[in-house]
Amino acid sequence: MHELSLITETLAIALRNAEAENAQQIHRLTMAIGAASGVVPDALQFAFDVAIQGTIAENAELAIETIPVTCQCPQCQTQFSPPDWIYECPTCQTLVSQTLTGREIQLKSLEVS
Amino acid sequence: MCGTCGCVSENGVTILTPDHSHHHGHRDDHNPDHTHHHGHTHSHDPQHTHTPTLPRTLDLTQSVLAKNDRLAERNRGYFLAKNLLVLNVISSPGSGKTTLLQATAQNVGLSCGVVVGDLETDNDAQRFRAGGIPSIQITTGTLCHLEADMVLTAAQHLNLDALQLLIIENVGNLVCPAAYDLGETLRVVLLSTTEGEDKPLKYPTLFKSADVVLLTKLDIAEAVGFDEATALANVQAINPTASIFPVSAKTGLGMAAWYDCLQDYRAGIGDPS
Ligand SMILES: Nc1nc2c(ncn2[C@@H]2O[C@H](COP(=O)(O)OP(=O)(O)OP(=O)(O)O)[C@@H](O)[C@H]2O)c(=O)[nH]1
Ligand SMILES: [Mg+2]
Ligand SMILES: [Zn+2]
């Protein structure tokens, strides 16, 4: 249920930026959500529909771009996209902890007028 | 709803101190760069109308958690300056956090204070205090995790200068706390024998973020048919770098190795006074 907290913060950032740009309306928010971020896009969408009521984003659309997980093997430097939650290097079978991408929770852009 | 005066705190977060004075959670309290812009943005120009401006795209690419991450970094610096080892302890409800942390605080050989988060009640803080462990309760209302600013506000009600180990017992939840850095030195995730060996595979985001995984309630492993080797393998597959300690807070089994680990980390932080 932290999607509601996340959307509240996202909307706060959006409204601050829209206001700074003298925009009267926000038409679209685009978020980038990593596949390993723990965020459920449907829950985010649901929370968004509630949170925008009574704001200049009232009729806005939420677009969610999913960022796949990529890793780099610390042993052999192979870059790979793991097929599941176990990040095993396809070249040397080392188990990898770190990710290069896939944990993002970002507000990418706004369409305003 | 505040248990003392019945008033509702902003966003439902309340910090309950031992004397039951209470602080309604204005969560920006200790944010030095916070200023209040009460958003009246209309210019008072009589010509002013809400004419839409030109349609355009604003590129932001901002982390939604940037504010919490920044406050967490500030906590980290603050705690480090006090030579504190700080644990953020996370698990499902009822995995044995309070029981394990009571034993830890009493036996680890470090002076210890606790900040504990629950949706409601200060039962857990009372349990710690009953054992002589200074403790502050944060009740989060509907919020399913602790955030960095709440932890700082609550921790400042403890006499931090007298402590070596600050333990944060997070709200019982395997999903939401994973995303929120509190400024801890170590993230400690519990997996109890009653939850099944495949928990790490079901909640990978949290288990991947752990520095330490404690397999708890080992005393009843046999009774509940818990296969320790499978659980260990699952944790290692998801998080190959975590330190893993199988323990029972009830019998003390395996606890010495956990205490040694905390002693070593504390010694690495600075003045081991
Ligand atoms: N057998 C056994 N039971 C335990 C152990 N540790 C805790 N328990 C029991 O598990 C139950 C929950 O323990 P708590 O310590 O309250 O768990 P918690 O994770 O703090 O719970 P919440 O704060 O509500 O999420 C209690 O009934 C404890 O007595 C253990 O090592 N062995
Ligand atoms: Mg507890
Ligand atoms: Zn490799």
Side-chain angles (χ1 to χ4, degrees):
Chain A
M1 258 309 287
H2 66 313
E3 282 80 3
L4 186 56
S5 307
L6 293 175
I7 273 298
T8 305
E9 186 63 26
T10 303
L11 201 58
I13 297 170
L15 293 174
R16 212 157 50 225
N17 280 279
E19 190 175 295
E21 289 280 326
N22 279 317
Q24 303 298 330
Q25 238 198 315
I26 300 176
H27 301 282
R28 189 185 175 90
L29 290 84
T30 304
M31 293 183 77
I33 301 297
S37 66
V39 175
V40 180
D42 281 352
L44 210 54
Q45 191 75 56
F46 181 80
F48 178 78
D49 294 341
V50 176
I52 55 177
Q53 301 304 320
T55 73
I56 61 165
E58 177 126 30
N59 297 309
E61 190 190 333
L62 176 65
I64 297 174
E65 295 176 1
T66 303
I67 313 282
V69 177
T70 56
C71 300
Q72 180 163 23
C73 175
Q75 295 301 321
C76 73
Q77 316 309 322
T78 302
Q79 283 193 15
F80 62 99
S81 293
D84 58 29
W85 290 100
I86 297 170
Y87 302 164
E88 187 185 71
C89 172
T91 309
C92 74
Q93 279 70 54
T94 297
L95 288 173
V96 180
S97 292
Q98 298 294 335
T99 53
L100 295 174
T101 65
R103 301 180 58 211
E104 300 78 358
I105 305 174
Q106 292 174 344
L107 176 56
K108 279 194 74 180
S109 63
L110 298 177
E111 275 172 36
V112 300
S113 66
Chain B
M1 178 98 87
C2 162
T4 307
C5 64
C7 50
V8 176
S9 56
E10 186 184 338
N11 65 46
V13 175
T14 308
I15 292 168
L16 301 170
T17 52
D19 58 4
H20 226 90
S21 69
H22 54 286
H23 301 265
H24 290 293
H26 188 68
R27 287 165 48 200
D28 287 314
D29 268 357
H30 292 265
N31 179 354
D33 54 14
H34 176 85
T35 49
H36 285 274
H37 299 289
H38 289 291
H40 189 70
T41 59
H42 301 217
S43 69
H44 290 266
D45 174 351
Q47 238 81 83
H48 177 83
T49 52
H50 285 273
T51 332
T53 54
L54 280 177
R56 59 204 185 279
T57 301
L58 310 179
D59 282 314
L60 302 175
T61 311
Q62 273 189 35
S63 167
V64 172
L65 293 171
K67 183 175 160 197
N68 184 74
D69 289 346
R70 187 163 44 78
L71 294 172
E73 270 321 307
R74 200 164 51 98
N75 287 2
R76 196 165 277 116
Y78 179 80
F79 295 144
L80 193 61
K82 294 188 179 296
N83 290 326
L84 278 168
L85 172 62
V86 184
L87 310 181
N88 178 3
V89 181
I90 307 175
S91 78
S92 318
S95 294
K97 295 181 291 299
T98 306
T99 308
L100 179 119
L101 296 173
Q102 282 176 301
T104 302
Q106 266 146 10
N107 300 310
V108 69
L110 296 168
S111 60
C112 182
V114 181
V115 169
V116 53
D118 281 294
L119 299 183
E120 294 296 343
T121 85
D122 68 343
N123 291 350
D124 280 4
Q126 287 186 32
R127 281 168 67 189
F128 284 112
R129 288 200 287 269
I133 306 152
S135 172
I136 302 292
Q137 180 81 44
I138 304 175
T139 60
T140 57
T142 55
L143 201 68
C144 47
H145 58 269
L146 294 176
E147 296 183 12
D149 54 350
M150 299 173 203
V151 166
L152 183 63
T153 308
Q156 285 172 333
H157 290 284
L158 294 168
N159 180 11
L160 293 179
D161 292 322
L163 301 183
Q164 297 167 308
L165 174 62
L166 174 64
I167 297 174
I168 305 161
E169 179 182 330
N170 216 313
V171 180
N173 184 324
L174 282 177
V175 181
C176 314
Y180 293 86
D181 185 3
L182 303 179
E184 68 266 19
T185 324
L186 295 176
R187 185 171 289 196
V188 180
V189 175
L190 274 58
L191 167 61
S192 75
T193 52
T194 57
E195 295 173 71
E197 302 84 358
D198 59 352
K199 257 299 164 50
L201 307 177
K202 291 178 175 167
Y203 296 87
T205 305
L206 179 66
F207 280 91
K208 280 179 183 300
S209 76
D211 298 299
V212 175
V213 175
L214 299 175
L215 301 183
T216 63
K217 307 191 191 180
L218 221 66
D219 56 292
I220 54 170
E222 206 171 324
V224 297
F226 179 80
D227 180 2
E228 188 183 328
T230 305
L232 282 171
N234 287 340
V235 174
Q236 279 161 345
I238 288 293
N239 185 336
T241 50
S243 308
I244 310 173
F245 298 96
V247 297
S248 164
K250 203 161 202 173
T251 65
L253 176 77
M255 295 290 280
W258 158 238
Y259 301 151
D260 286 347
C261 163
L262 294 179
Q263 288 277 2
D264 288 348
Y265 271 107
R266 175 56 177 60
I269 280 180
D271 163 35
S273 59

